[in-house]
Amino acid sequence: MNFSELFKLSGPLGRFSPDGRCLASCMQYRLVVRDAGSLQILHLYTCLDQIQYIEWSSDSLFILCAMYKRGIVQVWSLEQPDWHCKIDEGSAGLVASCWSPDGRHILNTTEFHLRITVWSLCTKSVSYIKYPKACQQGIAFTKDGRYMAVAERRDCKDFISIFVCSDWQLLRHFDTETQDLFGIEWAPNGCVLAAWDTCLEYKILLYSLDGRLLSTYRAYEWSLGIKSVAWSPSSQFLAIGSYDEKVRILNHVTWKKITEFEHPATVVNPKTIVYKEVEKSPSVETERLSFPPTRALANSLFSTQSKYAISEVPLSLHYVKPAADRANPKMGIGMLAFSPDNCFLATKNDNIPNAVWIWDIQKLKLFVVLEQLCAIQCFQWDPRQPRLAVCTGNSNVYLWSPVGCVSVQVPVEGDFPIVSLSWHSSGDSMVLLSKDSFCVCYLEREEVK
């Protein structure tokens, strides 16, 4: 495993292009595009204000930079560096911006969610979608890019509109049986749309492409409900994480629950492997000691490294009791992700912030628990194989695969608290992001295999 040098960054804005050739990052009002392999600067663009969001087009030919404070979006072309586009929403303001799947339209959501404006880069035409709902996940595209679902709120009721992305014509419009619709997400095959209610009510509804209600699932009532939702890549399973610290798996045939995964504070099953992160101080040979010590020697003397040790079961995990008198309590299943081969599901229970739970989907049982020294900030699966990368806000990156797991410290001077990471589409590198810097981690070919 090799690491690049650190590069400056403002906010964790670093993205590989979908084709894997480029890496975009932001430094205040500058957009820097580098070659993903050599990290040589290919393009340098100057925006009108500090960049708050970036996104690549699906074909990697354009990149948008959103400046929400100014209500402006600027678009840059990699093929024609002299070409650029500026979209100013004016007094309407701007709270969100994204590409359409064809990479030639931009969808801007105005302040107070008054409307979504669809801007065409080809014809310079403008379309409007009224009454978008202010919720966590209000726009969803099918994986093939043909349809878009939009959550709407009008006359104190929730609705979903389905549009054809080729001409933005309305295909279906229907109301949902929700108190306060919170999010929508298409199954990867594009046949079923999941819509779930506010956390005050446990309710998830499944709709077909033509707006028919296929099924409604409610696990319980009169308690905080759904917190996270994830489809399996095959569309066979829908995982629902809730505030009661459980994940429920629905099947795609009857939309009934086939199992539920509990996240107790004590791991008792002797067949579950628990990898516990432990700190170790590096040993220094006395012959190498010198006074005054060199900088490298001083760093090695006072730094601590970490490694994994297999713990005996039963094992009690670090459990945090949430504050009952505060909104959005740190409890329940806050993160869910299926591996690309559908074999594993990784979860995080916010009550046990230092642990990642990895479930075997073929056997529907707990496979591995990773217990870290610090709280989990982010985890993401390798897009090519069942390998999970984890970061915990320190300068280590952690990798798990079915053959074992490893902790690797990024060899940099000073502090590098990794808060986010993102895999390259090939799975042979990833970008590690802190709030003010980033580096690229390259995995050896033997490790990739």
Side-chain angles (χ1 to χ4, degrees), residues 56-107:
W56 287 94
S57 62
S58 55
D59 56 8
S60 304
L61 296 179
F62 298 93
I63 186 164
L64 74 77
C65 302
M67 290 142 276
Y68 297 136
K69 292 177 185 174
R70 291 272 293 266
I72 292 173
V73 171
Q74 287 185 269
V75 187
W76 306 96
S77 167
L78 267 68
E79 281 191 328
Q80 300 169 284
D82 296 333
W83 179 95
H84 70 276
C85 162
K86 175 187 159 192
I87 299 170
D88 191 342
E89 291 289 348
S91 59
L94 182 68
V95 295
S97 183
C98 69
W99 284 102
S100 66
D102 67 357
R104 295 297 177 270
H105 294 81
I106 290 171
L107 285 76

Side-chain angles (χ1 to χ4, degrees), residues 191-406:
C191 295
V192 180
L193 178 69
W196 57 98
D197 216 329
T198 170
C199 66
L200 297 176
E201 185 170 359
Y202 194 117
K203 192 179 201 181
I204 190 160
L205 306 125
L206 298 146
Y207 293 96
S208 64
L209 189 58
D210 58 3
R212 286 179 297 115
L213 179 62
L214 301 174
S215 185
T216 302
Y217 179 72
R218 303 180 77 159
Y220 52 81
E221 292 184 272
W222 314 116
S223 187
L224 290 177
I226 296 170
K227 189 167 188 179
S228 52
V229 172
W231 286 97
S232 68
S234 64
S235 306
Q236 291 174 292
F237 302 112
L238 179 62
I240 307 165
S242 50
Y243 281 90
D244 68 346
E245 305 175 47
K246 294 179 183 177
V247 174
R248 291 167 177 86
I249 307 288
L250 307 189
N251 73 82
H252 74 297
V253 179
T254 63
W255 302 114
K256 297 283 192 293
K257 182 185 77 174
I258 54 172
T259 190
E260 65 181 33
F261 297 146
E262 297 187 14
H263 296 68
T266 304
V267 181
V268 293
N269 189 340
K271 292 185 178 179
T272 301
I273 304 167
V274 180
Y275 291 105
K276 185 180 178 72
E277 183 190 4
V278 293
E279 282 189 334
K280 59 174 181 135
S281 297
S283 59
V284 179
E285 298 165 15
T286 52
E287 299 88 60
R288 287 182 58 216
L289 287 174
S290 60
F291 189 83
T294 62
R295 178 179 288 186
L297 183 58
N299 284 346
S300 67
L301 278 169
F302 296 106
S303 67
T304 54
Q305 297 173 330
S306 74
K307 64 173 185 176
Y308 281 111
I310 296 178
S311 292
E312 295 287 325
V313 177
L315 176 75
S316 294
L317 303 170
H318 173 59
Y319 190 89
V320 177
K321 194 170 183 180
D325 58 345
R326 292 185 185 175
N328 304 313
K330 292 279 186 184
M331 60 184 288
I333 310 302
M335 294 166 71
L336 283 172
F338 280 95
S339 63
D341 61 357
N342 291 285
C343 289
F344 300 100
L345 172 69
T347 62
K348 179 198 169 190
N349 177 9
D350 291 343
N351 294 71
I352 308 172
N354 296 13
V356 179
W357 309 66
I358 299 170
W359 307 83
D360 187 328
I361 295 301
Q362 292 172 323
K363 297 177 180 176
L364 294 177
K365 66 176 187 179
L366 183 59
F367 186 49
V368 166
V369 176
L370 307 180
E371 189 187 10
Q372 308 295 138
L373 292 168
C374 304
I376 309 299
Q377 299 289 320
C378 172
F379 58 68
Q380 194 178 57
W381 289 100
D382 181 334
R384 299 286 174 147
Q385 58 174 302
R387 180 170 53 178
L388 187 71
V390 181
C391 64
T392 63
N394 56 22
S395 59
N396 291 354
V397 61
Y398 307 92
L399 290 170
W400 174 87
S401 73
V403 296
C405 59
V406 65

